[in-house]
Every structure is written in C-alpha cells, then in structure tokens.
C-alpha cells in the first residue's frame, strides 16, 4: 500500500512541475466532487452499519450452513449483494463462517458479491454512471460471482463435475 502512496505522490509532483495551474484545478474539481458524494457515502455507511447490526454472525451462519449447496450459494449471493462491507471486515467474517462449517462455494459467492455487486451503492453509482450501466454492471457482476463460486465448488470438490 505504501508503494501506491509513493506512486501517487510522485505523479502529483510531476503534474505540478509540468503544469501547476492544471494540477490545482484538478484538485479543486476533485474536492467539489468529494463534497458532492460525501452525504450519499455517509448514508450508505449508516445503512451498512444497521444491516450488520441486524444480521449478526450467528444468523448468517444459520442460513448459509444448510445442506443444499446450490440454495445456500444463491442465498449467499443475494445476501452479499444487498450488504456491503470493506475487505478488511468481509474476509475475516468469511474466515469465521468457514470455521463454523460454511462451504467454500457459499463463501466464494458471499465474498465475491460483497465486493462486486452493490445494491446499497446503487443510488450513488447511477448518479455517476447512469441507471442502465449500473444495472448492467451489477447484473454482470452477479453472474461472474456465481461463476466464481461454481469454479471454487468444483476445485474443492463440493460440487460434482
């Protein structure tokens, strides 16, 4: 991560040397866009916090630990689509769920949709990308997440070929 900061700082310095007026203008545009998105982002964080409070680990484990791997995988994809959390929370949660007996296939579906599909982020996304592209991106991401789960299920022998 530190390399990313160094590369970014170097790029800003190079940009400022090349044309400081354009660099300042770019920062002004970025600040305006940030101020515009912060209220929606805070609302999204509040909704995520409420969702995580209402869906504790034990409830998630109860629903995702069933015997029907296809049903639990699809349910996990649905839960992952309507929930959103950063990777530093999602991956340890998946580790806990794995220790509680949740299948790799189901966890792959859950974690992939958590990262790729955004029902809660839809309002913010549609403002920047438009409704059609946002729906298309989420639909394709959902299908990809199910394909990833299928491949994981085949690799770990949870789904028979």
């Amino acid at each position: 991560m530190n390399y990313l900061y160094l590369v970014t700082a170097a790029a800003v310095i190079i940009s400022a040397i090349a044309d400081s007026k354009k660099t300042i203008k770019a920062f002004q545009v970025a600040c305006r866009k940030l101020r515009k998105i912060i209220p929606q982002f805070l609302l999204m964080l509040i909704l995520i916090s409420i969702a995580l409070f209402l869906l504790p680990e034990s409830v998630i484990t109860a629903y995702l630990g069933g015997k029907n791997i296809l049903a639990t995988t699809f349910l996990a994809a649905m839960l992952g689509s309507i929930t959103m959390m950063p990777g530093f929370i999602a991956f340890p949660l998946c580790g806990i769920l794995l220790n509680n007996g949740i299948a790799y296939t189901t966890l792959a579906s859950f974690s992939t949709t958590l990262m790729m599909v955004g029902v809660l982020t839809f309002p913010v996304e549609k403002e920047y990308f438009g409704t059609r592209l946002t729906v298309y991106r989420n639909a394709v991401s959902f299908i990809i997440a199910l394909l990833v789960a299928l491949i994981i299920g085949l690799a770990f022998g949870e789904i028979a070929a």
Side-chain angles (χ1 to χ4, degrees):
M1 190 69 170
N2 290 333
Y3 294 114
L4 183 60
Y5 294 138
L6 291 173
V7 169
T8 303
V12 170
I13 290 168
I14 292 169
S15 175
I17 291 170
D19 192 341
S20 61
K21 289 181 182 179
K22 283 186 179 180
T23 303
I24 291 170
K25 186 175 180 181
F27 273 110
Q28 290 170 340
V29 168
C31 286
R32 278 196 304 274
K33 290 192 179 274
L34 182 63
R35 275 183 290 204
K36 187 176 178 184
I37 199 172
I38 280 181
Q40 294 168 328
F41 187 72
L42 288 175
L43 176 63
M44 185 176 57
L45 286 176
I46 290 168
L47 291 173
I48 292 165
S49 299
I50 290 169
L52 288 175
F53 176 76
L54 294 175
L55 287 172
E57 171 197 326
S58 59
V59 172
I60 295 171
T61 302
Y63 285 103
L64 299 182
K67 299 295 179 199
N68 185 340
I69 193 92
L70 295 177
T72 58
T73 300
F74 190 75
L75 178 60
M78 297 303 291
L79 283 174
S81 296
I82 61 171
T83 310
M84 189 189 111
M85 63 185 75
F88 63 87
I89 295 173
F91 296 127
L93 173 62
C94 286
I96 292 168
L97 294 173
L98 179 64
N99 290 336
N100 287 339
I102 306 299
Y104 286 107
T105 307
T106 304
L107 290 175
S109 173
F110 182 63
S111 62
T112 308
T113 54
L114 272 173
M115 299 294 144
M116 293 176 51
V117 182
V119 172
L120 288 177
T121 60
F122 189 86
V124 175
E125 225 178 307
K126 81 171 185 176
E127 185 172 318
Y128 289 93
F129 300 131
T131 303
R132 184 175 178 196
L133 181 61
T134 301
V135 168
Y136 180 74
R137 191 202 66 75
N138 279 300
V140 169
S141 295
F142 188 81
I143 292 167
I144 290 170
L146 291 176
L147 288 173
V148 166
L150 175 67
I151 292 167
I152 294 294
L154 290 169
F156 282 92
E158 294 173 344
I159 297 174

